[in-house]
Amino acid sequence: MKLYLKIWRQFDASSKGEMTDYEIDGVSEHMSFLEMLDLLNENLIQQGERVIEFDHDCREGICGQCGVMINGRAHGPLRNTTTCQLHMRSFKDGDTIYIEPFRAKAFPVLRDLKIDRKAFDTIIASGGFIGASTGQAPEANSIPISYETAEEAFDAAACIGCGACVASCKNASAALFVGAKITHLALLPQGKVEAPKRALNMVKQMDLQGFGNCSDTRACEIECPQGISVLSIARMNLEYMKALTFRK
Amino acid sequence: MMESKIPEGPLSEKWNTYKAKAKLVNPANRKKLNIIVVGTGLAGASCAASLAEQGYNIKSFCFQDSPRRAHSVAAQGGVNAAKNYKNDGDSTFRMFYDTIKGGDFRSREANVYRLAECSAHLIDHAVAQGVPFAREYAGYLNNRSFGGVQVSRTFYARGQTGQQLLLGAYQALERQVSLGKIKLYTRHEMLELVVIDGKAKGIIARNLETGKLERHSADAVVLASGGYGKVYYLSTLAMGCNSSAVWRAHKKGAFMAGVSWIQFHPTSLPQHGENQSKLTLMSESLRNDGRIWVPKRANDDRNANSIPEEERDYYLERRYPSFGNLAPRDISSRAAKERIDAGHGVGPMKNAIYLDFSDAIKAQGKDTIEAKYSNLFTMYEKITGINAYKEPMLISPSAHFTMGGLWVDYELMTTIPGLFALGEANFADHGANRLGANSLLQACVDGYFIAPYTIPNYLAGELNATKFDIDHHAFEEAENAVRRQLDRFLHTNGTLSADYFHKKIGRLLYEKCGLSRSRKNLEEAIIEIRELKASFEKDLRITGDNTLNSELEKAGRIADYIELAELMCYDALQREESCGAHFREEYQTPDGEAVRNDEEFCYVSAWEWKGQNKEPELHKEPLVFEAVELAVRSYK
């Protein structure tokens, strides 16, 4: 099929970017969206032009590195799907597709569609862990965890850190990302001890990184490739309020 | 030069003996010592975090935008541990034996025993970190059996075990970042190793955001940069997986071992077209319930569901009745290739086989199958548009895990003192074939439990060594060499993209140094690879400049792949036997089983770089088996 692409080109964080028109022919419906971009880049190389920079790695929907806005939606038209798992059968011959980077003040554009998501790592460093040192852990079965709890913790732990939640939110809030980690660790007995401190530190760091507040529009949940529930935001608020109330 | 340093004493006591005798570094001295860790996957992140906990200063490097992207994240099936929770006869020794046998008796006994021994602690540690492993209703850990073994020793977190273990390691790493013990360099690629007075003393890294070359010095360098299966282009690996860190260390004097031992995973999705960039892996756990078959009649074009039972060939169950669909990866992959080559392949490109769940659904109900594998079925449908509850999956073998890598001794140190290699970057533990769910284990155990003893043992001897800073001429020379190479790529001004060469080298290896090899093919391949190298040097086209430029990054990786491919062919050519993943067509039984030659090839092939356009030199590390008898590896 033949497609008309409008792609955001921006040289670096301090340059002004703009939408640029491209045409591409010979796109098969079996190609992934990123393979379509590969093909476009191959054409650009043949023309001696600089390629369109975009982030990607595993192309299996699990590493979380890919992600662009496609026709105004994070990761494109399908629910719970990363950009790398979006295939061209979701488009039809003659379509015009708008491709832009995930936009948020906390995610500056590096070049074209590549953005800087270090802010997520900084939030994790502020408390998104269990302080278990290596080597002397107790026997694993000495801490029974119910099947349901383990599954619920897993649902939250499945976050891939792609940033679609931030990009979909009108406030560029990272509440779903932070809520997911707080939920994962607070549900487990091993993570409960540090739960109050974790909630306070991570929420504070989220604000410091320049993410906005959650105003409960739930756009994040709809675009999350892992289908993480906004209930994790509720749990973040609960853990945060508990910590605020009882700290001293 | 190649002393394996295996401790004395009985197998079960070797690691304890080593730990008891390993030198320690006083806590006050640890903060004076700097360690570079390249790679933030399970091996790299766990090693960085563990050494930082002890008090060393760590610099951690990854080419991705965040440590959490490392390709360990994509491992699906699980992680092995000899916990014997199911009371089904598992033990450290049995796990050791399964792994030795699985690797076709081409790995070191002492390393493999240590792997099995440390496995139980890994589960304890991961649970302590909050890894949400699958649980029984009673609250205890659940596990399952996995390809190639007859006990249940595989712990899992749905189909995302690698992701959850990696997040545990990544979180431990970030915790040390916040404590100031780890300095993190994301979007940085190691492009050269700096060796001073014969010891690893630093690296040259390229900042992929700015293009600037940076010099980093250290008292020890750890490469945990993963495997190189992406050399085949179409593979189950992430696009960025590469061999550059290990290859550049190799050219600085570190030996590469078992280079041609590359596992083809039996359950990947088949190739569907020319512009495809990768093959997606489906968890091998599917083989617990799925039955593998092809039509008995060659070139049978009927739809799978309209082929009656008696016209289906369940070839794994037929050839390997005691293991059936759970036969190890090398055997399953090769059996699939054999059927496909004989004209029984299915799917639009006739390059696949069926993985059929209809019997399992009939016996257990759709709900049970859905509970076990729903994410995999959903993923399959997303990619192929096919509902696998209604018709069999199409699967095919594809390049996956590299058992080969940098040669290391028992301490995981390469032939360059001070240079360590962990996880898939080293050759150790798996022999000529890796058993499912042992890769996460090895990566974690190397990083959490082994390197934290062996690296300090080395560093204890370095406390009074001369300190070199980044003004040393060795750093300058290394940086200049990198700069010259990047300039050359940018100014070649040919007509062909980096990807063109990657696809070319990949196809060549698939055909001539892939699932099966022959002398004739390998000799041809070496000539063709040299031609391709000459073409790469004059026909490459890189657009853009020396700042952020993904094409320039690719060019360096492909230059390394081309050289590595040549060494793979030498390795495969020299080894005149069939073992594990290495199947030489000249050495097989009349019914197509591998024929190993223990009299002549019971050694690890370690190769020394001798310079451009020169043949590499082979060194042999004899494999001595004391605890097991070398047996014919049969899964019949």
Side-chain angles (χ1 to χ4, degrees):
Chain A
M1 57 179 123
K2 185 174 185 180
L3 298 167
Y4 302 92
L5 307 173
K6 290 181 181 294
I7 302 180
W8 184 260
R9 304 291 315 249
Q10 179 174 341
F11 190 71
D12 58 24
S14 55
S15 317
K16 196 166 165 284
E18 60 177 5
M19 297 301 279
T20 307
D21 291 337
Y22 298 91
E23 277 181 31
I24 183 168
D25 211 348
V27 174
S28 130
E29 60 168 12
H30 296 298
M31 286 165 97
S32 72
F33 195 83
L34 299 182
E35 285 165 355
M36 185 275 292
L37 288 178
D38 290 341
L39 183 62
L40 177 66
N41 275 344
E42 185 66 38
N43 297 345
L44 291 180
I45 293 169
Q46 291 315 315
Q47 293 156 24
E49 283 182 41
R50 179 167 71 76
V51 298
I52 293 155
E53 294 290 346
F54 60 96
D55 263 325
H56 62 95
D57 200 19
C58 78
R59 300 200 174 190
E60 288 185 17
I62 191 76
C63 80
Q65 188 152 305
C66 70
V68 289
M69 298 301 279
I70 300 166
N71 292 335
R73 289 187 65 178
H75 295 302
L78 304 182
R79 287 184 77 146
N80 309 136
T81 303
T82 54
T83 305
C84 65
Q85 295 291 288
L86 173 66
H87 287 74
M88 298 312 291
R89 68 179 74 93
S90 293
F91 300 89
K92 56 182 196 302
D93 188 40
D95 273 359
T96 298
I97 308 174
Y98 289 76
I99 311 170
E100 296 167 81
F102 282 176
R103 293 184 192 281
K105 189 176 133 204
F107 288 167
V109 171
L110 291 173
R111 181 163 292 178
D112 303 335
L113 306 170
K114 260 188 209 246
I115 55 166
D116 183 351
R117 282 168 289 199
K118 274 195 207 76
F120 271 9
D121 293 333
T122 310
I123 294 173
I124 295 295
S126 75
F129 47 76
I130 289 174
S133 292
T134 324
Q136 300 302 325
E139 155 59 40
N141 260 352
S142 65
I143 315 167
I145 298 170
S146 78
Y147 173 84
E148 290 79 8
T149 307
E151 292 296 304
E152 207 186 333
F154 187 99
D155 287 339
C159 167
I160 59 173
C162 64
C165 48
V166 174
S168 311
C169 175
K170 62 179 181 173
N171 306 328
S173 166
L176 193 68
F177 172 78
V178 176
K181 189 45 65 191
I182 285 178
T183 300
H184 160 212
L185 299 177
L187 279 170
L188 300 169
Q190 304 92 313
K192 274 200 169 46
V193 184
E194 295 167 287
K197 191 169 150 228
R198 179 182 305 118
L200 293 175
N201 288 345
M202 289 184 78
V203 169
K204 183 177 159 200
Q205 194 62 42
M206 168 170 73
D207 292 342
L208 287 174
Q209 294 301 131
F211 293 104
N213 288 325
C214 171
S215 53
D216 203 23
T217 62
R218 305 185 182 193
C220 54
E221 183 183 73
I222 290 174
E223 301 297 8
C224 173
Q226 295 293 88
I228 290 171
S229 162
V230 288
L231 279 176
S232 66
I233 300 179
R235 187 174 293 273
M236 173 182 79
N237 290 333
L238 173 71
E239 294 294 335
Y240 184 75
M241 293 312 291
K242 273 200 304 195
L244 268 189
T245 309
F246 296 114
R247 83 168 162 187
K248 250 174 219 175
Chain B
M1 199 164 189
M2 267 177 45
E3 194 201 333
S4 60
K5 295 193 210 152
I6 296 167
E8 294 295 313
L11 195 55
S12 59
E13 284 307 311
K14 285 182 190 296
W15 181 228
N16 283 331
T17 307
Y18 178 88
K19 287 194 287 187
K21 292 185 178 170
K23 282 182 268 191
L24 301 176
V25 178
N26 177 325
N29 284 332
R30 292 179 198 165
K31 53 179 174 281
K32 297 177 196 158
L33 292 163
N34 304 304
I35 304 163
I36 284 171
V37 183
V38 179
T40 59
L42 278 172
S46 59
C47 174
S50 303
L51 290 168
E53 280 170 19
Q54 292 184 11
Y56 298 96
N57 304 309
I58 313 294
K59 286 183 175 182
S60 160
F61 293 82
C62 68
F63 69 78
Q64 298 94 340
D65 75 328
S66 162
R68 65 180 298 147
R69 317 287 184 211
H71 195 54
S72 305
V73 80
Q76 295 167 348
V79 55
N80 286 337
K83 282 278 199 187
N84 196 28
Y85 281 165
K86 291 265 156 101
N87 204 22
D88 57 358
D90 204 8
S91 65
T92 301
F93 187 87
R94 193 177 293 274
M95 180 168 168
F96 152 77
Y97 184 78
D98 283 344
T99 303
I100 283 274
K101 178 187 171 194
D104 217 353
F105 303 92
R106 288 293 175 264
S107 43
R108 256 189 225 138
E109 273 190 343
N111 282 60
V112 176
Y113 193 89
R114 177 173 65 182
L115 181 77
E117 190 180 342
C118 294
S119 65
H121 305 304
L122 173 66
I123 301 304
D124 297 343
H125 179 62
V127 166
Q129 283 182 330
V131 172
F133 282 124
R135 296 270 165 172
E136 307 270 12
Y137 279 97
Y140 297 110
L141 287 151
N142 198 354
N143 54 18
R144 59 188 174 197
S145 73
F146 220 63
V149 297
Q150 290 169 311
V151 293
S152 288
R153 69 163 70 105
T154 305
F155 294 79
Y156 63 100
R158 289 193 198 148
Q160 286 146 264
T161 317
Q163 179 200 31
Q164 291 308 312
L165 283 172
L166 181 71
L167 290 180
Y170 155 76
Q171 288 164 198
L173 178 138
E174 290 292 352
R175 173 173 164 240
Q176 297 300 324
V177 169
S178 73
L179 294 170
K181 292 310 291 178
I182 295 181
K183 186 147 172 39
L184 192 57
Y185 295 83
T186 56
R187 293 202 201 263
H188 275 68
E189 183 163 28
M190 168 185 159
L191 290 181
E192 190 56 286
L193 177 75
V194 179
V195 178
I196 303 176
D197 294 345
K199 290 177 180 171
K201 288 291 172 188
I203 64 167
I204 304 297
R206 183 169 181 269
N207 179 331
L208 303 178
E209 285 181 20
T210 62
K212 284 206 180 71
L213 296 181
E214 297 174 3
R215 303 175 185 185
H216 297 274
S217 67
D219 299 286
V221 177
V222 180
L223 301 186
S225 52
Y228 50 80
K230 188 73 191 167
V231 66
Y232 289 86
Y233 190 71
L234 283 178
S235 80
T236 62
L237 299 182
M239 300 302 286
C241 288
N242 65 84
S243 67
S244 286
V246 297
W247 190 252
R248 293 182 190 208
H250 174 60
K251 288 170 82 174
K252 278 287 172 85
F255 294 180
M256 289 282 286
V259 197
S260 67
W261 289 342
I262 294 191
Q263 180 168 79
F264 283 72
H265 199 289
T267 55
S268 140
L269 300 188
Q271 184 186 2
H272 57 67
E274 280 310 305
N275 289 309
Q276 200 167 344
S277 58
K278 79 162 293 171
L279 299 173
T280 300
L281 180 67
M282 299 297 282
S283 168
E284 193 181 22
S285 64
L286 291 170
R287 293 202 282 153
N288 280 325
D289 286 300
R291 295 181 72 196
I292 288 167
W293 63 276
V294 291
K296 275 188 183 159
R297 177 155 49 92
N299 304 314
D300 190 334
D301 280 333
R302 285 174 295 175
N303 172 290
N305 288 336
S306 54
I307 299 178
E309 193 63 23
E310 60 277 11
E311 293 181 43
R312 300 175 176 192
D313 177 14
Y314 295 91
Y315 59 88
L316 282 180
E317 297 169 29
R318 169 170 59 80
R319 286 179 64 178
Y320 307 100
S322 65
F323 281 72
N325 296 298
L326 292 174
R329 292 180 175 178
D330 56 333
I331 288 177
S332 306
S333 295
R334 204 157 50 240
K337 181 181 192 295
E338 190 275 328
R339 284 292 81 194
I340 291 168
D341 288 350
H344 297 264
V346 294
M349 289 178 76
K350 301 282 178 208
N351 59 352
I353 53 167
Y354 290 126
L355 179 62
D356 195 338
F357 289 85
S358 54
D359 285 348
I361 290 171
K362 245 179 258 158
Q364 302 171 41
K366 190 182 165 216
D367 290 350
T368 310
I369 296 300
E370 211 167 337
K372 287 194 208 174
Y373 309 113
S374 72
N375 65 322
L376 295 165
F377 278 62
T378 309
M379 181 169 100
Y380 183 77
E381 188 162 8
K382 242 176 217 174
I383 297 169
T384 62
I386 296 169
N387 180 344
Y389 294 106
K390 293 186 178 151
E391 50 184 301
M393 287 183 179
L394 290 169
I395 58 160
S396 135
S398 75
H400 182 52
F401 185 92
T402 45
M403 282 75 71
L406 288 169
W407 183 90
V408 288
D409 59 24
Y410 187 75
E411 298 189 296
L412 307 181
M413 190 154 84
T414 68
T415 48
I416 299 176
L419 181 71
F420 294 80
L422 271 53
E424 200 178 346
N426 74 29
F427 88 102
D429 297 12
H430 305 300
N433 173 50
R434 176 181 61 85
L435 287 186
N438 266 354
S439 68
L440 296 180
L441 174 65
Q442 187 223 344
C444 288
V445 161
D446 282 4
Y448 283 128
F449 302 123
I450 298 170
Y453 286 91
T454 64
I455 293 176
N457 184 58
Y458 168 79
L459 289 174
E462 287 300 289
L463 270 168
N464 297 319
T466 318
K467 294 270 179 190
F468 300 102
D469 71 15
I470 55 169
D471 293 331
H472 190 279
H473 66 85
F475 277 94
E476 190 175 337
E477 280 162 24
E479 184 184 320
N480 287 340
V482 171
R483 180 165 292 116
R484 277 195 302 276
Q485 191 194 41
L486 293 169
D487 284 347
R488 203 169 61 239
F489 294 148
L490 283 167
H491 297 115
T492 305
N493 290 327
T495 54
L496 301 167
S497 67
D499 276 345
Y500 166 87
F501 290 99
H502 196 170
K503 287 178 187 175
K504 265 273 203 250
I505 194 78
R507 245 193 310 264
L508 205 159
L509 285 180
Y510 254 116
E511 282 165 18
K512 301 193 167 168
C513 189
L515 272 158
S516 69
R517 295 102 188 252
S518 68
R519 168 168 289 280
K520 178 176 166 289
N521 278 342
L522 291 165
E523 284 172 345
E524 281 169 12
I526 290 171
I527 294 167
E528 287 168 39
I529 291 168
R530 288 184 183 160
E531 288 165 2
L532 190 69
K533 189 173 178 181
S535 164
F536 180 80
E537 280 164 11
K538 62 179 201 304
D539 298 328
L540 176 72
R541 172 183 285 184
I542 300 296
T543 56
D545 57 21
N546 193 7
T547 60
L548 191 162
N549 188 346
S550 51
E551 286 301 307
L552 186 57
E553 294 165 26
K554 279 186 208 167
R557 295 170 193 161
I558 290 154
D560 295 335
Y561 273 149
I562 294 174
E563 291 179 351
L564 169 78
E566 193 176 330
L567 184 62
M568 285 167 61
C569 293
Y570 275 113
D571 188 51
L573 185 60
Q574 189 274 335
R575 189 165 282 274
E576 294 181 318
E577 65 165 349
S578 292
C579 61
H582 169 66
F583 188 76
R584 275 285 295 267
E585 289 162 15
E586 301 93 327
Y587 308 98
Q588 57 176 310
T589 60
D591 56 351
E593 301 300 327
V595 175
R596 217 175 58 217
N597 179 347
D598 293 330
E599 278 71 45
E600 291 176 83
F601 292 95
C602 194
Y603 57 75
V604 173
S605 311
W607 297 90
E608 182 181 358
W609 172 260
K610 299 303 274 186
Q612 291 289 349
N613 303 319
K614 290 191 181 136
E615 286 201 15
E617 186 182 339
L618 175 67
H619 300 264
K620 297 174 184 175
E621 182 203 335
L623 290 167
V624 182
F625 292 91
E626 291 171 352
V628 301
E629 247 175 72
L630 270 70
V632 173
R633 184 167 160 257
S634 169
Y635 291 89
K636 283 188 185 283

